[in-house]
Amino acid sequence: MVGGVCFFLLVSLVGFVLGVIFNHFLPLLLNLGLPTPKGTFGWPLLGETLSFLKPHCSNSIGSFLHKHITRYGKVFKSHLFCSPTIVSCDQELNYFILQNEDKLFQCSYPKPIHGVLGSSSMLVVVGETHKRLRNMALTLVGTTKSKPEYLNDIERTAIQILNTWKGKQQVLFCEEARKFTFNVIVKQILGLTPDDPQTSKILEDFLTFMKGLISFPMYIPGTPYARAVQARTRISTTVKAMVEERRKCRIIEGDNNNNNNNSSKMNNGDFLDMLISVNTLSEDEKVSFVLDSLLGGYETTSLLMAMAVQFLGHSPSALQQLKVEHENIRRGKEENEYLNWEDYKKMEFTQNVISESLRCGNIVKFVHRKALKDIRFKDYIIPSGWKVLPVFSAVHLDPSLHGDDALQFRPWRWENQSQTCKKFTPFGGGPRFCPGSELAKVETAFFLHHLVLNFRWKPEGADQSMAYPYVEFQNGLPLKVDQILSEASC
C-alpha cells in the first residue's frame, strides 16, 4: 500500500517535471528554423522573470536590461511570466507594437491581474469592448478637463493640502500627493468630499486593492491578493449602491419637476452621473470604469507629482525658472482668483518639467502584449502566441535618442522637441494611449503652481524612486519644507 502511494507520487513528480520542461522548450521546438531574436530562456517555468523584475532605480534601465542589450541587442528573446517572450528596447519596434493593437498584437496581462482588476477593466479587455470603454473615457475627459468647476476643485484641493503644511518642518510628500489626487478624483468620479463617510470607506478598500494589485498572485485567505479581490467586491457593491441611489433621486426629482414645473438639479456633474446616462455599458463595466479612473487618477498622478518634486529639489536652476513662470501667471490675477484653462496653456516650462519627470522617472516601465500571428520585423520573426514586452524606460533613457545626458533631468531638452514623438511614450500609444493623460498634467501643474509660490523644499536623505517594476519611493519622499512668508500665501 505504502509502496503504491510512493510510486504514484514519484510518477506524478516526474510527470510534473517533464511537463514543466516540455512547456519551457515547446516554443523552441515549434519554431525551429524561424529567425527569432537572440536570447536565452533561462530556467524552466520561471525563466528569467525574477531577474527581469529585480528592483532598480526607476531612472535607470537596471542590470537585467543592460546585460541583455549589451549581449543580444535592443530586441531579444527570453522566458518571462511563464511565457516565451520578445523584449523590445527598440524605439521603432515599440512604436510598431503600439500602433498595431488588435491587428498584429493584443493586450495580454497575466491572468492573476484580471482577478483583481475584474474582467471588464479597460486595462485588460480587448477588441470592441476596449474601444467602447475608451471612447466613453475620451468623451468624459474631453467634457471635463477645461471645465471651470473641475479646475477650481483641483486648485481648492491643492490649497487645502498645502495649508496643512504651515508650521511643519517636514512632510512625507508621497502621502500628501496621494491625499491630493484621491480627493480630486473621488470628487470628480463620485461627487464625494473628503469629509463624506463613504470617502474614507472607499479609500480604505482602495488601498487594500492597490496592495493586492502588486502582490504575489495567490488566492489564499488572508493574503494581500485575496484581500484585494475582496476589497474590489466591496467597492463594486458601494458604487452600485450609489448608482441605484442616484437613479431613484432622478425619478423622484423628475416627478417633482413634472408637478411643479421647476428646473431640475438632478445631476451633480460628476462622472457617475454621466455613466448612469449611458445605456451602452453594463453595470459591471460602469463599476470597472470607476475603478480604472480611481487607479489612474490616484496612483500614477501622485507618482508623477512626486517625480517632479524630487527632480526639482535637486535642480535649482529648473526650480527657479519654474517659479518665475508661475509668478508671471499669478501677477496678472486678483489675490484669490482661480486659475483657468488659459493659464494652464501658458505653463510652457511647467510642461517641460512634467515631460522630463515622466521621461526620467518611468512610472510605466513596460506593458504586456502578445503576437496574434507570426510577424516579421526587420530580419527576425516574432512567433504567434509569444508575449511581447515593449520597454518604455529603455527608449526614454537611450543616449542615442536623447543625447549623452539622457540619464540627467534637464527640462530644457523639450524646448525645441515635440512631446508626442515616437521616442517618448509615458502614457503608452496607439489605441491604448491613456485617455486621462491631460488630467494628470493639469493636476500636477496646478499643484506645482501653489507649491513653488509658497514653499521652499529640499529632499531629506537619499530616498530614490525604485522600479519593482511598479515605481515606489521607499521612504515616502520626506521633504524639509519652509514656507515663503514674504510672498503670496496659499
Side-chain angles (χ1 to χ4, degrees), residues 247-263:
R247 282 190 178 133
K248 289 179 180 178
C249 288
R250 284 188 172 205
I251 294 172
I252 294 172
E253 291 191 27
D255 290 341
N256 289 338
N257 290 334
N258 290 333
N259 294 330
N260 301 325
N261 294 319
N262 291 329
S263 60

mmCIF file with all atom_site columns, all heavy atoms in Angstrom, residues 247-263:
data_model
loop_
_atom_site.group_PDB
_atom_site.id
_atom_site.type_symbol
_atom_site.label_atom_id
_atom_site.label_alt_id
_atom_site.label_comp_id
_atom_site.label_asym_id
_atom_site.label_entity_id
_atom_site.label_seq_id
_atom_site.pdbx_PDB_ins_code
_atom_site.Cartn_x
_atom_site.Cartn_y
_atom_site.Cartn_z
_atom_site.occupancy
_atom_site.B_iso_or_equiv
_atom_site.pdbx_formal_charge
_atom_site.auth_seq_id
_atom_site.auth_comp_id
_atom_site.auth_asym_id
_atom_site.auth_atom_id
_atom_site.pdbx_PDB_model_num
ATOM 1   N N   . ARG A 1 247 ? -30.218 56.949 -9.348  1.00 0.00 ? 247 ARG A N   1
ATOM 2   C CA  . ARG A 1 247 ? -31.347 56.678 -10.236 1.00 0.00 ? 247 ARG A CA  1
ATOM 3   C C   . ARG A 1 247 ? -32.680 56.987 -9.548  1.00 0.00 ? 247 ARG A C   1
ATOM 4   O O   . ARG A 1 247 ? -33.586 57.566 -10.142 1.00 0.00 ? 247 ARG A O   1
ATOM 5   C CB  . ARG A 1 247 ? -31.304 55.216 -10.684 1.00 0.00 ? 247 ARG A CB  1
ATOM 6   C CG  . ARG A 1 247 ? -30.277 54.950 -11.783 1.00 0.00 ? 247 ARG A CG  1
ATOM 7   C CD  . ARG A 1 247 ? -30.447 53.565 -12.342 1.00 0.00 ? 247 ARG A CD  1
ATOM 8   N NE  . ARG A 1 247 ? -29.506 53.337 -13.423 1.00 0.00 ? 247 ARG A NE  1
ATOM 9   C CZ  . ARG A 1 247 ? -28.754 52.247 -13.547 1.00 0.00 ? 247 ARG A CZ  1
ATOM 10  N NH1 . ARG A 1 247 ? -28.828 51.286 -12.646 1.00 0.00 ? 247 ARG A NH1 1
ATOM 11  N NH2 . ARG A 1 247 ? -27.938 52.116 -14.576 1.00 0.00 ? 247 ARG A NH2 1
ATOM 12  N N   . LYS A 1 248 ? -32.786 56.592 -8.275  1.00 0.00 ? 248 LYS A N   1
ATOM 13  C CA  . LYS A 1 248 ? -34.011 56.863 -7.526  1.00 0.00 ? 248 LYS A CA  1
ATOM 14  C C   . LYS A 1 248 ? -34.223 58.369 -7.381  1.00 0.00 ? 248 LYS A C   1
ATOM 15  O O   . LYS A 1 248 ? -35.353 58.866 -7.511  1.00 0.00 ? 248 LYS A O   1
ATOM 16  C CB  . LYS A 1 248 ? -33.939 56.208 -6.151  1.00 0.00 ? 248 LYS A CB  1
ATOM 17  C CG  . LYS A 1 248 ? -34.036 54.687 -6.178  1.00 0.00 ? 248 LYS A CG  1
ATOM 18  C CD  . LYS A 1 248 ? -33.940 54.109 -4.770  1.00 0.00 ? 248 LYS A CD  1
ATOM 19  C CE  . LYS A 1 248 ? -34.046 52.584 -4.801  1.00 0.00 ? 248 LYS A CE  1
ATOM 20  N NZ  . LYS A 1 248 ? -33.903 52.003 -3.433  1.00 0.00 ? 248 LYS A NZ  1
ATOM 21  N N   . CYS A 1 249 ? -33.125 59.091 -7.120  1.00 0.00 ? 249 CYS A N   1
ATOM 22  C CA  . CYS A 1 249 ? -33.228 60.547 -6.978  1.00 0.00 ? 249 CYS A CA  1
ATOM 23  C C   . CYS A 1 249 ? -33.681 61.187 -8.284  1.00 0.00 ? 249 CYS A C   1
ATOM 24  O O   . CYS A 1 249 ? -34.454 62.145 -8.295  1.00 0.00 ? 249 CYS A O   1
ATOM 25  C CB  . CYS A 1 249 ? -31.884 61.136 -6.551  1.00 0.00 ? 249 CYS A CB  1
ATOM 26  S SG  . CYS A 1 249 ? -31.444 60.770 -4.838  1.00 0.00 ? 249 CYS A SG  1
ATOM 27  N N   . ARG A 1 250 ? -33.187 60.647 -9.381  1.00 0.00 ? 250 ARG A N   1
ATOM 28  C CA  . ARG A 1 250 ? -33.590 61.173 -10.691 1.00 0.00 ? 250 ARG A CA  1
ATOM 29  C C   . ARG A 1 250 ? -35.087 60.995 -10.915 1.00 0.00 ? 250 ARG A C   1
ATOM 30  O O   . ARG A 1 250 ? -35.773 61.894 -11.405 1.00 0.00 ? 250 ARG A O   1
ATOM 31  C CB  . ARG A 1 250 ? -32.824 60.457 -11.811 1.00 0.00 ? 250 ARG A CB  1
ATOM 32  C CG  . ARG A 1 250 ? -31.379 60.919 -11.966 1.00 0.00 ? 250 ARG A CG  1
ATOM 33  C CD  . ARG A 1 250 ? -30.767 60.316 -13.207 1.00 0.00 ? 250 ARG A CD  1
ATOM 34  N NE  . ARG A 1 250 ? -29.469 60.898 -13.468 1.00 0.00 ? 250 ARG A NE  1
ATOM 35  C CZ  . ARG A 1 250 ? -28.912 60.953 -14.668 1.00 0.00 ? 250 ARG A CZ  1
ATOM 36  N NH1 . ARG A 1 250 ? -29.558 60.459 -15.708 1.00 0.00 ? 250 ARG A NH1 1
ATOM 37  N NH2 . ARG A 1 250 ? -27.720 61.477 -14.834 1.00 0.00 ? 250 ARG A NH2 1
ATOM 38  N N   . ILE A 1 251 ? -35.592 59.820 -10.554 1.00 0.00 ? 251 ILE A N   1
ATOM 39  C CA  . ILE A 1 251 ? -37.016 59.540 -10.735 1.00 0.00 ? 251 ILE A CA  1
ATOM 40  C C   . ILE A 1 251 ? -37.852 60.468 -9.868  1.00 0.00 ? 251 ILE A C   1
ATOM 41  O O   . ILE A 1 251 ? -38.840 61.064 -10.319 1.00 0.00 ? 251 ILE A O   1
ATOM 42  C CB  . ILE A 1 251 ? -37.323 58.061 -10.396 1.00 0.00 ? 251 ILE A CB  1
ATOM 43  C CG1 . ILE A 1 251 ? -36.632 57.143 -11.416 1.00 0.00 ? 251 ILE A CG1 1
ATOM 44  C CG2 . ILE A 1 251 ? -38.824 57.817 -10.387 1.00 0.00 ? 251 ILE A CG2 1
ATOM 45  C CD1 . ILE A 1 251 ? -36.715 55.665 -11.052 1.00 0.00 ? 251 ILE A CD1 1
ATOM 46  N N   . ILE A 1 252 ? -37.440 60.621 -8.586  1.00 0.00 ? 252 ILE A N   1
ATOM 47  C CA  . ILE A 1 252 ? -38.189 61.477 -7.657  1.00 0.00 ? 252 ILE A CA  1
ATOM 48  C C   . ILE A 1 252 ? -38.156 62.929 -8.126  1.00 0.00 ? 252 ILE A C   1
ATOM 49  O O   . ILE A 1 252 ? -39.190 63.609 -8.174  1.00 0.00 ? 252 ILE A O   1
ATOM 50  C CB  . ILE A 1 252 ? -37.613 61.353 -6.225  1.00 0.00 ? 252 ILE A CB  1
ATOM 51  C CG1 . ILE A 1 252 ? -37.852 59.939 -5.683  1.00 0.00 ? 252 ILE A CG1 1
ATOM 52  C CG2 . ILE A 1 252 ? -38.224 62.409 -5.311  1.00 0.00 ? 252 ILE A CG2 1
ATOM 53  C CD1 . ILE A 1 252 ? -37.149 59.668 -4.365  1.00 0.00 ? 252 ILE A CD1 1
ATOM 54  N N   . GLU A 1 253 ? -36.958 63.421 -8.502  1.00 0.00 ? 253 GLU A N   1
ATOM 55  C CA  . GLU A 1 253 ? -36.836 64.809 -8.931  1.00 0.00 ? 253 GLU A CA  1
ATOM 56  C C   . GLU A 1 253 ? -37.561 65.032 -10.243 1.00 0.00 ? 253 GLU A C   1
ATOM 57  O O   . GLU A 1 253 ? -38.129 66.100 -10.491 1.00 0.00 ? 253 GLU A O   1
ATOM 58  C CB  . GLU A 1 253 ? -35.362 65.194 -9.053  1.00 0.00 ? 253 GLU A CB  1
ATOM 59  C CG  . GLU A 1 253 ? -34.656 65.269 -7.719  1.00 0.00 ? 253 GLU A CG  1
ATOM 60  C CD  . GLU A 1 253 ? -33.280 65.909 -7.838  1.00 0.00 ? 253 GLU A CD  1
ATOM 61  O OE1 . GLU A 1 253 ? -33.081 66.717 -8.764  1.00 0.00 ? 253 GLU A OE1 1
ATOM 62  O OE2 . GLU A 1 253 ? -32.426 65.596 -7.015  1.00 0.00 ? 253 GLU A OE2 1
ATOM 63  N N   . GLY A 1 254 ? -37.539 63.986 -11.093 1.00 0.00 ? 254 GLY A N   1
ATOM 64  C CA  . GLY A 1 254 ? -38.266 64.093 -12.359 1.00 0.00 ? 254 GLY A CA  1
ATOM 65  C C   . GLY A 1 254 ? -39.754 64.244 -12.125 1.00 0.00 ? 254 GLY A C   1
ATOM 66  O O   . GLY A 1 254 ? -40.429 65.061 -12.761 1.00 0.00 ? 254 GLY A O   1
ATOM 67  N N   . ASP A 1 255 ? -40.295 63.479 -11.167 1.00 0.00 ? 255 ASP A N   1
ATOM 68  C CA  . ASP A 1 255 ? -41.726 63.583 -10.832 1.00 0.00 ? 255 ASP A CA  1
ATOM 69  C C   . ASP A 1 255 ? -42.046 64.953 -10.254 1.00 0.00 ? 255 ASP A C   1
ATOM 70  O O   . ASP A 1 255 ? -43.069 65.561 -10.578 1.00 0.00 ? 255 ASP A O   1
ATOM 71  C CB  . ASP A 1 255 ? -42.111 62.491 -9.833  1.00 0.00 ? 255 ASP A CB  1
ATOM 72  C CG  . ASP A 1 255 ? -42.091 61.106 -10.467 1.00 0.00 ? 255 ASP A CG  1
ATOM 73  O OD1 . ASP A 1 255 ? -42.146 61.036 -11.720 1.00 0.00 ? 255 ASP A OD1 1
ATOM 74  O OD2 . ASP A 1 255 ? -42.005 60.112 -9.723  1.00 0.00 ? 255 ASP A OD2 1
ATOM 75  N N   . ASN A 1 256 ? -41.145 65.452 -9.378  1.00 0.00 ? 256 ASN A N   1
ATOM 76  C CA  . ASN A 1 256 ? -41.372 66.766 -8.774  1.00 0.00 ? 256 ASN A CA  1
ATOM 77  C C   . ASN A 1 256 ? -41.368 67.865 -9.825  1.00 0.00 ? 256 ASN A C   1
ATOM 78  O O   . ASN A 1 256 ? -42.158 68.808 -9.767  1.00 0.00 ? 256 ASN A O   1
ATOM 79  C CB  . ASN A 1 256 ? -40.303 67.063 -7.721  1.00 0.00 ? 256 ASN A CB  1
ATOM 80  C CG  . ASN A 1 256 ? -40.474 66.197 -6.485  1.00 0.00 ? 256 ASN A CG  1
ATOM 81  O OD1 . ASN A 1 256 ? -41.567 65.686 -6.231  1.00 0.00 ? 256 ASN A OD1 1
ATOM 82  N ND2 . ASN A 1 256 ? -39.398 66.038 -5.718  1.00 0.00 ? 256 ASN A ND2 1
ATOM 83  N N   . ASN A 1 257 ? -40.451 67.724 -10.798 1.00 0.00 ? 257 ASN A N   1
ATOM 84  C CA  . ASN A 1 257 ? -40.376 68.735 -11.856 1.00 0.00 ? 257 ASN A CA  1
ATOM 85  C C   . ASN A 1 257 ? -41.631 68.727 -12.714 1.00 0.00 ? 257 ASN A C   1
ATOM 86  O O   . ASN A 1 257 ? -42.107 69.768 -13.168 1.00 0.00 ? 257 ASN A O   1
ATOM 87  C CB  . ASN A 1 257 ? -39.144 68.498 -12.733 1.00 0.00 ? 257 ASN A CB  1
ATOM 88  C CG  . ASN A 1 257 ? -37.855 68.814 -11.995 1.00 0.00 ? 257 ASN A CG  1
ATOM 89  O OD1 . ASN A 1 257 ? -37.859 69.614 -11.078 1.00 0.00 ? 257 ASN A OD1 1
ATOM 90  N ND2 . ASN A 1 257 ? -36.768 68.173 -12.386 1.00 0.00 ? 257 ASN A ND2 1
ATOM 91  N N   . ASN A 1 258 ? -42.162 67.519 -12.952 1.00 0.00 ? 258 ASN A N   1
ATOM 92  C CA  . ASN A 1 258 ? -43.389 67.427 -13.749 1.00 0.00 ? 258 ASN A CA  1
ATOM 93  C C   . ASN A 1 258 ? -44.564 68.088 -13.033 1.00 0.00 ? 258 ASN A C   1
ATOM 94  O O   . ASN A 1 258 ? -45.457 68.676 -13.647 1.00 0.00 ? 258 ASN A O   1
ATOM 95  C CB  . ASN A 1 258 ? -43.724 65.963 -14.047 1.00 0.00 ? 258 ASN A CB  1
ATOM 96  C CG  . ASN A 1 258 ? -42.740 65.350 -15.027 1.00 0.00 ? 258 ASN A CG  1
ATOM 97  O OD1 . ASN A 1 258 ? -42.149 66.059 -15.842 1.00 0.00 ? 258 ASN A OD1 1
ATOM 98  N ND2 . ASN A 1 258 ? -42.568 64.031 -14.953 1.00 0.00 ? 258 ASN A ND2 1
ATOM 99  N N   . ASN A 1 259 ? -44.538 67.978 -11.679 1.00 0.00 ? 259 ASN A N   1
ATOM 100 C CA  . ASN A 1 259 ? -45.647 68.541 -10.904 1.00 0.00 ? 259 ASN A CA  1
ATOM 101 C C   . ASN A 1 259 ? -45.504 70.044 -10.676 1.00 0.00 ? 259 ASN A C   1
ATOM 102 O O   . ASN A 1 259 ? -46.475 70.787 -10.665 1.00 0.00 ? 259 ASN A O   1
ATOM 103 C CB  . ASN A 1 259 ? -45.747 67.839 -9.541  1.00 0.00 ? 259 ASN A CB  1
ATOM 104 C CG  . ASN A 1 259 ? -46.145 66.377 -9.697  1.00 0.00 ? 259 ASN A CG  1
ATOM 105 O OD1 . ASN A 1 259 ? -46.850 66.018 -10.638 1.00 0.00 ? 259 ASN A OD1 1
ATOM 106 N ND2 . ASN A 1 259 ? -45.694 65.540 -8.770  1.00 0.00 ? 259 ASN A ND2 1
ATOM 107 N N   . ASN A 1 260 ? -44.220 70.479 -10.477 1.00 0.00 ? 260 ASN A N   1
ATOM 108 C CA  . ASN A 1 260 ? -44.004 71.875 -10.098 1.00 0.00 ? 260 ASN A CA  1
ATOM 109 C C   . ASN A 1 260 ? -43.463 72.751 -11.224 1.00 0.00 ? 260 ASN A C   1
ATOM 110 O O   . ASN A 1 260 ? -43.355 73.972 -11.067 1.00 0.00 ? 260 ASN A O   1
ATOM 111 C CB  . ASN A 1 260 ? -43.009 71.940 -8.928  1.00 0.00 ? 260 ASN A CB  1
ATOM 112 C CG  . ASN A 1 260 ? -43.520 71.163 -7.732  1.00 0.00 ? 260 ASN A CG  1
ATOM 113 O OD1 . ASN A 1 260 ? -44.722 71.142 -7.482  1.00 0.00 ? 260 ASN A OD1 1
ATOM 114 N ND2 . ASN A 1 260 ? -42.613 70.541 -6.993  1.00 0.00 ? 260 ASN A ND2 1
ATOM 115 N N   . ASN A 1 261 ? -43.075 72.089 -12.345 1.00 0.00 ? 261 ASN A N   1
ATOM 116 C CA  . ASN A 1 261 ? -42.501 72.809 -13.477 1.00 0.00 ? 261 ASN A CA  1
ATOM 117 C C   . ASN A 1 261 ? -41.274 73.626 -13.077 1.00 0.00 ? 261 ASN A C   1
ATOM 118 O O   . ASN A 1 261 ? -41.027 74.715 -13.589 1.00 0.00 ? 261 ASN A O   1
ATOM 119 C CB  . ASN A 1 261 ? -43.535 73.763 -14.115 1.00 0.00 ? 261 ASN A CB  1
ATOM 120 C CG  . ASN A 1 261 ? -44.672 72.995 -14.761 1.00 0.00 ? 261 ASN A CG  1
ATOM 121 O OD1 . ASN A 1 261 ? -44.444 71.984 -15.401 1.00 0.00 ? 261 ASN A OD1 1
ATOM 122 N ND2 . ASN A 1 261 ? -45.889 73.504 -14.582 1.00 0.00 ? 261 ASN A ND2 1
ATOM 123 N N   . ASN A 1 262 ? -40.506 73.098 -12.109 1.00 0.00 ? 262 ASN A N   1
ATOM 124 C CA  . ASN A 1 262 ? -39.272 73.765 -11.706 1.00 0.00 ? 262 ASN A CA  1
ATOM 125 C C   . ASN A 1 262 ? -38.098 73.160 -12.455 1.00 0.00 ? 262 ASN A C   1
ATOM 126 O O   . ASN A 1 262 ? -38.147 72.021 -12.902 1.00 0.00 ? 262 ASN A O   1
ATOM 127 C CB  . ASN A 1 262 ? -39.026 73.593 -10.191 1.00 0.00 ? 262 ASN A CB  1
ATOM 128 C CG  . ASN A 1 262 ? -40.024 74.371 -9.380  1.00 0.00 ? 262 ASN A CG  1
ATOM 129 O OD1 . ASN A 1 262 ? -40.486 75.423 -9.819  1.00 0.00 ? 262 ASN A OD1 1
ATOM 130 N ND2 . ASN A 1 262 ? -40.353 73.872 -8.193  1.00 0.00 ? 262 ASN A ND2 1
ATOM 131 N N   . SER A 1 263 ? -37.019 73.913 -12.577 1.00 0.00 ? 263 SER A N   1
ATOM 132 C CA  . SER A 1 263 ? -35.818 73.377 -13.227 1.00 0.00 ? 263 SER A CA  1
ATOM 133 C C   . SER A 1 263 ? -35.196 72.327 -12.330 1.00 0.00 ? 263 SER A C   1
ATOM 134 O O   . SER A 1 263 ? -35.187 72.426 -11.115 1.00 0.00 ? 263 SER A O   1
ATOM 135 C CB  . SER A 1 263 ? -34.811 74.499 -13.486 1.00 0.00 ? 263 SER A CB  1
ATOM 136 O OG  . SER A 1 263 ? -34.434 75.107 -12.276 1.00 0.00 ? 263 SER A OG  1
#
